[in-house]
Amino acid sequence: MKLRIVVTLKNGVLDPQGKAIEHALGSLGFSGVGEVRVGKLIELDVADGITDTDIDAMCTKLLANTVIENYRVEKQ
Amino acid sequence: MKTAVIVFPGSNCDRDLAVAIESVTGRKPEMVWHGESDLPDGLGLIALPGGFSYGDYLRCGAIAARSPVVRAVVEAANRGVPVIGICNGFQVLTETGLLPGALMRNEGLNFVCRDVDLTVENSQSIFTSRYDAGETISIPVAHHDGNYFADADTLDRIEGEGRVAFRYAGSVNGSARQIAGIVNASGNVLGMMPHPERKIEAAHGGTDGRRLFEGLLEAVA
């Protein structure tokens, strides 16, 4: 089974990379672009029998820093 | 004082730190590789150096924080052994949870590399006893991810407990409340982004960093 884990900064946490991209899009002439947030996509190939508890543990112990980040798991 | 400097793949301030510690304590630190699962006995200080542990892949300090040797460092810290993490070492300490908060990309997106003025907030810790509270010192920074973040409750708590050791005198990287270094609740773990090991001798342009190690030696020896 493939997992896609999307890690994003929590709301309210300043995202300087997002700000820089937002600025660059504006200077390219794209109007109407609101706030830009940059995240990470981590793809994992895992055994079919993996439990949700294990997936959550992987996310909270390593893949996301829950002080500043949220994560979302997509199973494929 | 017997000391250990932990070396990760990608550490690049380990030698500077070892030279600084030897210069103050008169004794060469043991260099301990990240894959070790045990630390030498009788350590008076464990030091986590600056650099780019494991290439800083995933997040700064994240993979180092889960390395075998850092499990031993966490155990030692919980037993009360003094631990200092400088720059990447600070990032590693927040990733282990020994220190609260997280270090994020600098607000201005630039790598900042220069001497900065710091205010010593608390001179009661084993790390800051050779400074005066409120004193301004000059210590170099060199980092891309030094923007300290913690939620407001955590910030209020560490401020209230006098755990902010150093604060930037001006804006450097966007750190919450200009925090440059903090200690844990027991006072035996310090994390700071500036590099005291680079201000040890007059030839470095100043000796403000030396007093940190001198204070430690006095407290621990």
Side-chain angles (χ1 to χ4, degrees):
Chain A
M1 180 169 59
K2 282 200 189 303
L3 298 180
R4 289 160 73 90
I5 295 167
V6 180
V7 180
T8 50
L9 285 170
K10 288 181 174 173
N11 285 335
V13 175
L14 176 72
D15 179 356
Q17 288 161 290
K19 284 273 171 235
I21 293 167
E22 186 183 318
H23 197 75
L25 287 171
S27 53
L28 282 171
F30 294 103
S31 59
V33 178
E35 191 181 21
V36 178
R37 308 283 285 172
V38 177
K40 260 180 279 201
L41 172 66
I42 302 166
E43 292 188 324
L44 302 179
D45 233 339
V46 295
D48 286 340
I50 192 164
T51 64
D52 286 353
T53 312
D54 276 343
I55 296 171
D56 260 345
M58 288 195 286
C59 292
T60 54
K61 285 187 177 177
L62 179 64
L63 301 179
N65 179 340
T66 54
V67 174
I68 48 172
E69 294 171 328
N70 291 319
Y71 64 90
R72 185 176 81 235
V73 180
E74 298 169 2
K75 295 178 185 170
Q76 294 183 324
Chain B
M1 178 170 68
K2 187 172 171 184
T3 60
V5 173
I6 310 298
V7 185
F8 302 103
S11 294
N12 63 9
C13 299
D14 48 325
R15 187 175 168 278
D16 285 3
L17 193 49
V19 168
I21 290 171
E22 184 180 359
S23 143
V24 173
T25 66
R27 193 167 168 184
K28 262 189 204 304
E30 300 212 22
M31 307 303 277
V32 181
W33 185 234
H34 70 115
E36 298 287 335
S37 45
D38 295 309
L39 290 165
D41 290 332
L43 290 175
L45 174 69
I46 300 167
L48 304 177
F52 300 88
S53 55
Y54 299 85
D56 273 350
Y57 292 135
L58 190 62
R59 293 181 307 278
C60 298
I63 297 177
R66 281 80 182 171
S67 63
V69 76
V70 170
R71 282 198 285 273
V73 171
V74 171
E75 282 171 22
N78 288 334
R79 285 197 310 271
V81 177
V83 176
I84 182 172
I86 297 166
C87 200
N88 191 235
F90 184 14
Q91 294 160 345
V92 173
L93 290 173
T94 59
E95 282 283 342
T96 62
L98 281 173
L99 293 174
L103 279 310
M104 309 204 316
R105 181 58 41 96
N106 293 345
E107 190 175 53
L109 289 171
N110 290 321
F111 190 97
V112 184
C113 183
R114 60 183 165 89
D115 285 358
V116 299
D117 283 346
L118 302 178
T119 307
V120 179
E121 291 292 318
N122 181 341
S123 60
Q124 303 299 310
S125 78
I126 57 171
F127 304 97
T128 54
S129 60
R130 284 283 180 103
Y131 301 106
D132 296 322
E135 182 184 0
T136 300
I137 59 174
S138 172
I139 302 280
V141 294
H143 60 244
H144 207 169
D145 296 78
N147 180 355
Y148 181 73
F149 175 89
D151 61 42
D153 288 348
T154 305
L155 292 170
D156 288 344
R157 192 179 74 243
I158 60 178
E159 298 243 30
E161 293 171 354
R163 288 166 53 189
V164 175
F166 302 105
R167 211 186 294 271
Y168 301 109
S171 173
V172 172
N173 50 29
S175 272
R177 303 186 191 177
Q178 301 194 170
I179 287 172
I182 56 171
V183 294
N184 66 342
S186 318
N188 66 309
V189 178
L190 169 75
M192 63 188 293
M193 288 309 297
H195 287 269
E197 80 280 14
R198 295 187 187 175
K199 271 286 177 79
I200 295 292
E201 295 166 15
H204 294 160
T207 57
D208 281 348
R210 187 176 187 92
R211 284 186 282 158
L212 187 153
F213 297 100
E214 286 173 346
L216 263 175
L217 179 63
E218 194 175 69
V220 174

